[in-house]
Amino acid sequence: MDLSANGGFDVRERFAEGAQYVGGTLRGGTSGRLHPVVDPATGESVYSYELAGTADVDAAVAAAARALPGWAGATPGERSDAMHRFAAVLSGRAAEFAYAESLQCGKPLRLTTEFDVPGTVDNTAFFAGAARHLEGRAAGEYSGDHTSYVRREPVGIVGSIAPWNYPLQMAAWKVLPAIAAGNTIVLKPAELTPLTSLMFAQAAAEAGIPAGVVNVVTGAGKEAGEHLVGHPDVAMTSFTGSTAVGRRVAEIATATVKRLHLELGGKAPFVVFDDADLEAAVHGAVAGALINTGQDCTAATRAYVQRPLYDAFVAGVADLFSGLRVGDPFDAKTDLGPLISHTQRDRVAGFVERARSYATIVTGGEAPASPGAFYRPTLVTGAAQDSEIVQSEIFGPVLVVLPFDGDDEGLALANDTPYGLAASAWTRDVFRAGRATREIKAGCVWVNDHIPIISEMPHGGYKASGYGKDMSAYSLEEYTQVKHVMYDNTAVARKSWHRTIFGDR
């Protein structure tokens, strides 16, 4: 294993004080329970820390409250300048972040170096600019006798919960729009993958963002997570994770009437019409299904292929799946790393094993002999539309392919799950493409590609995939309060509308 790119990074030394970052200082947790960070490629613990308890959440919220007046009162330009410095710090530490992300997640270093880290740097630079561009209606005399204008103000303290599949990018998606808008934040990363979230908060401080603006508490969802969501001083909750947990988050947040942003599960359809570029569709399906070992809520999971291309598509995908190199994330030749844990590997394997009774496993469907949480890319055909493997989110390297005949059927099948996060349509026909983008119920629809995201455009779902947007100016707006301010221009004591109250008096 070549660790030359880690810049001398030592996890135990770096986080010797603990995995809680409160008010600008690393500290230990108070739950009394230790938790390991495990390298899923080897099954070995690389770091152990004490989980956050409710007292740690309270301390982090208090630190955020102390920092809020100063940060909210800073000018947009001052916040923007600090965030530009933040982007520069992240860029300078790119190799360290890539190494840490690969270590805790099992992602191939190629993926963290070329996708996770540069995407996070770009997102930071985008929100540095967006901090200076708060949108609202033009001031004007809409009533004739008054001048109205709109203020966008920070919501307050944001409590955010991020998942384990993209720890660095999800930390950025939560933190950046919140602080760009003048809020302070308490972020709870997944217990499995806290390292880069902590590093992200430290980088913010190094860039000159004041202590307490960005806080991190690493604890269990039932204790630290639920306490954060229900905290009376937290004005907004942003959660990314499964739809089932999202429902619980919504229940708790609703009790205290918080603003709520939910980015939940997905089961993205990949619709291939009979005029599509077959080679492009095959390559797109493999990349779209297997990015991050399929642990991506926008991953292509259900390929619907019009019957004339179906057999060739299945053969092409099977051929590419069979040739992918699964192994050491730090080996430059590795295509796919492990799943996040043996628990997740076994969950994915369970879906495939149950599917053997009603579908065909074309390739894959097994875990290689290894101490790590690896699972081979798996292609499934012959499943019914209402089967578990088609309808449920698997979150692993599994692609199910089904045929369809007419366009009406293909689009109906694409919409036939509870989810609506992302989708793609593959065709050379501009009218077919236009119809697909209109009729597929998803927050993002790609045409002749699947997976690319950009900082300038929103990410978020329909239906059971949640509501609210990450990235883009739309995300910034999520973290602001809109206030209408109205001035009387007449200087008249008795207004004409007073007649409705005073009558003739």
Side-chain angles (χ1 to χ4, degrees), residues 417-462:
T417 71
Y419 300 105
L421 187 59
S424 63
W426 297 74
T427 177
R428 291 183 172 96
D429 187 322
V430 65
F431 299 104
R432 261 180 167 168
R435 181 185 177 191
T437 60
R438 291 190 302 273
E439 295 188 13
I440 293 176
K441 304 304 180 187
C444 175
V445 181
W446 293 284
V447 177
N448 295 327
D449 208 343
H450 194 109
I451 283 297
I453 54 174
I454 50 175
S455 296
E456 292 82 359
M457 287 291 144
H459 173 86
Y462 286 22

Side-chain angles (χ1 to χ4, degrees), residues 243 247 265-269 297 299 301-304 347 351 354-355 358-359 380 383-395 398-402 409-421 463-465:
T243 298
R247 291 190 184 99
K267 191 70 178 175
C297 48
T301 59
R302 302 177 287 139
Y304 297 103
R347 179 180 181 276
F351 276 99
R354 291 189 296 274
Y358 58 79
V380 179
Q385 175 65 16
D386 61 356
S387 63
E388 176 192 51
I389 206 163
V390 173
Q391 292 291 323
S392 299
E393 187 173 34
I394 300 170
F395 230 57
V398 179
L399 175 64
V400 184
V401 186
L402 298 89
E409 180 189 10
L411 295 174
L413 290 170
N415 284 326
D416 185 28
T417 71
Y419 300 105
L421 187 59
K463 302 190 293 184
S465 291

Side-chain angles (χ1 to χ4, degrees), residues 454-492:
I454 50 175
S455 296
E456 292 82 359
M457 287 291 144
H459 173 86
Y462 286 22
K463 302 190 293 184
S465 291
Y467 46 83
K469 299 299 179 184
D470 289 313
M471 301 196 297
S472 80
Y474 295 99
S475 177
L476 185 67
E477 293 178 0
E478 300 264 350
Y479 292 87
T480 65
Q481 297 270 28
V482 175
K483 178 184 287 184
H484 169 214
V485 178
M486 180 180 257
Y487 284 89
D488 170 61
N489 292 330
T490 67
V492 173

